[in-house]
Amino acid sequence: MPEARQEEQQGGSILRTAVQSIGIFLLIQFVTRQLAGTPQNSDSAKGAVVPGSNVPIPEYSLRPPTLNPDASYNPIPQAVAPMWPVGSELDISVYISPSLIMPSLKSLPKESLVINEKAFKFGDWKEKREIHADFAVPKEVQNNGTLFAHFYVGQTGSVLDPTAPNYDTSKAYHFFRPLTQYLPKKKVKKTRNLLAGANATEEVGDDASAPKVIASYYHPNFTISLIPDSGVQNYPALHPAVRSFVQLEQTGVRDASGQNGWYYPILYTNTFWQLKKHMTELNSTVTRLPLNVNINNLNNWKFSILSAMDEGLKQQARAAASGQSSPSGGDGSEMEMFKEILIDSNSYLLATTAVVSVLHMVFEMLAFKNDVSHWRKKKDNVGTSVRTILANVFMQSIIFLYLMDNNENTSWMILFGQGIGIAIEAWKITKTVNVRVRPTAPGSLLPYSVVFEDKHQLSETEKKTQEYDQIAFKYLYIVAMPLLLAYSVYSLLYETHKSWYSFIITTLVGSVYAYGFLMMVPSLYINYRLKSVAHIPARTMMYKFLNTFIDDLFAFTIKMPTLHRLATLRDDVIFFVYLYQAWKYKIDYTRINEFGQGGEGEEEVEKKVAAKPLTAPADVDVVASAEPAVAKTTGVAKKDEGRKRK
């Protein structure tokens, strides 16, 4: 249950981080596109123009046989234009092999040909095909080798085998892509039953402190996308991920200036939506694997975004596998969770969750502002449960220690927010009572102790608040302590833990998550005995409970156990009880209540009196008749001036 609660806390930050990253990337790609890309015109017969200049790049079929006399050959082309026009029909064949070097296609086993599509129309957005196949896993791949997919693409009717004597590089090309990934195995902490022998009950798994073990993983699904609107590209300025999919003309031919060249149609193998949990670890027990491929045409801007993000995630995973820290500070797991949410969640529910995530941040900020403002202005302890504040500090500290004990699965943002919450609750204690260090009585084990002293002589209502607080916590202990002991015994007998410290922290935090809402009961009891809710910061409570309803929405979006999903509804019960109390114990905001809060200020009263029309007879002294009204309204008797007028 604590792990599920942790996923719930991370859900909102994951959505916000992903949306911000995509927005920033879109802006960067838009600027780059304006500087480096020119859309291709399908019916252009005069070639294309180099971005940033008026130098034309002729069609590949009209390329010059030699360079200009004063031109120099550049081995790296500065601008590249498409070789084949949009609308061409293409043949696509894919062979699998554990080797990078391919022999003659006729000599390969028939089963190695997994895709053989004919006359796929390049640039037809309605053209979509699906391929489903399976194949035998080569022995080299079973022994941690790499499985490669060799792509042979050519204009319909052309020879695709590069070893054939009539192979024409102007009509066909070949490249390869790995189908397997090397990823670290998930580490499992070594835990044991604390009451039994370690060797008998130790869980099977990798030690979290041991070196990372790398394994080969395979995912059966990916998409082959052709990019018809890529146009003329500034080759050196392309994003590295995009440039890795650009296949330059194989003979290295250039235009008359020697600076510009051509490239084959971009064929993008889209693996962005592959999740690690759907991957298969390859070993000697895996003999056959499925293959599911979609073939379509994709917009260039989508290709740029997906390829760049996918490469970034793979770089993070590779850095984490080698023990290095990536520039973004993560290992790609947060984005993996975000993709899982996008795939598994309903689109309408996901859109609603994205909107309320923004509202959650706004309400959280407003709740913090009003809570601090309320406690800064608070002058007494009426209606305040000091024990509840102390219990909140204790519970939030337990949660903080639990997050630190599981720091490999906790982001620093959550740790920082938890620490700020502890600091605010501790500050509330100093506003309620004086925290002092006093000498202990003779014979005590400790020379000094921390005591809480009242800031002033308590009023009758404040004394009642303390009495009701004590009564509420007495009954709370009667309910909570047996539950805590029962949960501790169960956890000790049937669950495994890293150490006794981990057992104590995990048990306490489990109790906090399960029974934490009981800490709000004393405040409701104090409201009931005082027959008032005037001492409650209504705005703060409203913002916090709105966030509670938003958390309920997250509970149905983020993966978690059913019991924990139901447990997120517990705070709603407290809220409805508070609403009933607010309805039953009405508050007159136009007067100062019994706790010295609210009411209209003296300045507003004086302004109303000054603006009130005169109603006294003409022969009566206006000043003498107006003064008693002011004195009666404001409660301030001006005795000296009254004596003078008498």
Side-chain angles (χ1 to χ4, degrees), residues 31 42 69 124 138 238 271 281 319 352 485 542 572 611 619 639 643:
V31 175
S42 59
D124 185 357
L238 286 175
T271 60
E281 181 181 349
T352 305
L485 292 176
M542 185 63 65
D572 301 341
D619 57 343
K639 297 181 180 179
R643 292 194 189 100

Side-chain angles (χ1 to χ4, degrees), residues 106-312:
K106 294 181 180 180
S107 63
L108 292 175
K110 184 178 180 181
E111 193 179 33
S112 63
L113 177 61
V114 292
I115 297 177
N116 187 24
E117 294 297 315
K118 303 294 184 181
F120 183 87
K121 194 167 185 179
F122 177 49
D124 185 357
W125 303 106
K126 297 181 180 179
E127 182 84 60
K128 291 180 174 59
R129 301 187 185 183
E130 293 184 7
I131 298 95
H132 303 282
D134 62 340
F135 58 90
V137 181
K139 292 293 183 181
E140 298 87 346
V141 177
Q142 291 179 331
N143 297 323
N144 212 27
T146 303
L147 180 65
F148 293 97
H150 290 264
F151 292 81
Y152 297 88
V153 185
Q155 296 178 354
T156 296
S158 60
V159 178
L160 301 182
D161 189 355
T163 62
N166 55 344
Y167 180 75
D168 187 355
T169 57
S170 65
K171 297 182 179 180
Y173 65 105
H174 158 250
F175 65 94
F176 60 86
R177 292 280 184 268
L179 291 182
T180 56
Q181 302 181 42
Y182 290 98
L183 301 172
K185 290 184 177 181
K186 185 178 181 180
K187 290 186 175 182
V188 181
K189 296 178 184 176
K190 282 188 176 181
T191 58
R192 59 191 177 89
N193 190 297
L194 299 176
L195 298 180
N199 295 332
T201 60
E202 189 172 299
E203 287 189 352
V204 178
D206 298 328
D207 189 356
S209 60
K212 294 184 177 181
V213 178
I214 307 299
S216 179
Y217 289 87
Y218 169 82
H219 197 289
N221 305 329
F222 67 92
T223 302
I224 298 175
S225 298
L226 290 157
I227 316 300
D229 60 341
S230 54
V232 178
Q233 300 285 343
N234 189 343
Y235 186 73
L238 286 175
H239 190 285
V242 176
R243 189 165 56 240
S244 65
F245 291 97
V246 177
Q247 304 295 324
L248 298 177
E249 197 273 340
Q250 294 181 10
T251 63
V253 68
R254 298 288 182 267
D255 65 351
S257 67
Q259 301 297 309
N260 307 312
W262 294 265
Y263 66 95
Y264 297 103
I266 298 176
L267 196 149
Y268 170 48
T269 52
N270 185 359
T271 60
F272 179 78
W273 298 105
Q274 292 182 355
L275 301 178
K276 186 177 179 180
K277 71 174 186 177
H278 296 154
M279 292 184 178
T280 303
E281 181 181 349
L282 301 182
N283 49 44
S284 58
T285 63
V286 182
T287 57
R288 296 194 68 85
L289 289 172
L291 181 68
N292 306 303
V293 180
N294 293 329
I295 305 179
N296 59 20
N297 290 279
L298 185 68
N299 294 106
N300 185 54
W301 67 271
K302 294 181 181 179
F303 156 65
S304 301
I305 293 174
L306 293 174
S307 61
M309 293 183 66
D310 194 26
E311 180 61 25

Side-chain angles (χ1 to χ4, degrees), residues 233-525:
Q233 300 285 343
N234 189 343
Y235 186 73
L238 286 175
H239 190 285
V242 176
R243 189 165 56 240
S244 65
F245 291 97
V246 177
Q247 304 295 324
L248 298 177
E249 197 273 340
Q250 294 181 10
T251 63
V253 68
R254 298 288 182 267
D255 65 351
S257 67
Q259 301 297 309
N260 307 312
W262 294 265
Y263 66 95
Y264 297 103
I266 298 176
L267 196 149
Y268 170 48
T269 52
N270 185 359
T271 60
F272 179 78
W273 298 105
Q274 292 182 355
L275 301 178
K276 186 177 179 180
K277 71 174 186 177
H278 296 154
M279 292 184 178
T280 303
E281 181 181 349
L282 301 182
N283 49 44
S284 58
T285 63
V286 182
T287 57
R288 296 194 68 85
L289 289 172
L291 181 68
N292 306 303
V293 180
N294 293 329
I295 305 179
N296 59 20
N297 290 279
L298 185 68
N299 294 106
N300 185 54
W301 67 271
K302 294 181 181 179
F303 156 65
S304 301
I305 293 174
L306 293 174
S307 61
M309 293 183 66
D310 194 26
E311 180 61 25
L313 295 176
K314 290 179 180 178
Q315 286 182 358
Q316 290 181 6
R318 287 192 291 265
S322 60
Q324 302 174 359
S325 59
S326 63
S328 61
D331 59 356
S333 58
E334 288 189 352
M335 193 63 185
E336 182 87 359
M337 186 180 296
F338 175 69
K339 291 192 293 185
E340 183 177 348
I341 293 174
L342 291 177
I343 293 174
D344 297 339
S345 299
N346 180 276
S347 58
Y348 295 103
L349 179 62
L350 189 63
T352 305
T353 304
V355 173
V356 299
S357 297
V358 179
L359 297 178
H360 190 284
M361 290 188 294
V362 174
F363 292 146
E364 191 174 9
M365 180 186 66
L366 292 175
F368 169 78
K369 170 184 173 296
N370 285 276
D371 196 23
V372 173
S373 176
H374 170 79
W375 280 89
R376 286 183 62 186
K377 297 176 181 179
K378 194 172 180 62
K379 303 300 182 182
D380 53 45
N381 296 338
V382 174
T384 301
S385 175
V386 180
R387 290 178 176 83
T388 299
I389 300 175
L390 292 173
N392 286 337
V393 173
F394 173 76
M395 291 191 299
Q396 292 198 32
S397 300
I398 291 297
I399 296 175
F400 184 80
L401 293 176
Y402 171 77
L403 295 176
M404 291 294 296
D405 190 47
N406 296 268
N407 57 355
E408 68 274 4
N409 295 323
T410 307
S411 67
W412 286 104
M413 182 177 63
I414 293 178
L415 289 174
F416 176 77
Q418 190 68 27
I420 292 296
I422 296 174
I424 293 175
E425 292 297 326
W427 172 74
K428 289 181 181 179
I429 296 176
T430 63
K431 294 290 292 183
T432 307
V433 294
N434 290 325
V435 182
R436 297 288 185 265
V437 178
R438 302 299 187 193
T440 57
S444 301
L445 296 177
L446 299 176
Y448 297 94
S449 64
V450 178
V451 297
F452 301 101
E453 301 175 352
D454 297 325
K455 287 182 172 290
H456 55 269
Q457 185 175 359
L458 299 182
S459 64
E460 187 65 27
T461 309
E462 289 176 318
K463 290 179 181 179
K464 289 183 179 180
T465 298
Q466 284 191 347
E467 178 187 353
Y468 301 152
D469 189 23
Q470 185 176 1
I471 294 173
F473 262 83
K474 182 182 71 173
Y475 291 110
L476 186 64
Y477 290 145
I478 294 175
V479 175
M481 291 307 296
L483 293 175
L484 176 60
L485 292 176
Y487 179 69
S488 301
V489 172
Y490 172 83
S491 179
L492 191 61
L493 291 176
Y494 299 104
E495 295 181 352
T496 57
H497 306 277
K498 293 188 298 182
S499 62
W500 283 100
Y501 169 78
S502 179
F503 159 71
I504 294 173
I505 294 299
T506 304
T507 302
L508 288 176
V509 80
S511 301
V512 168
Y513 284 148
Y515 318 123
F517 76 105
L518 294 176
M519 291 296 103
M520 304 179 69
V521 174
S523 296
L524 298 179
Y525 180 75

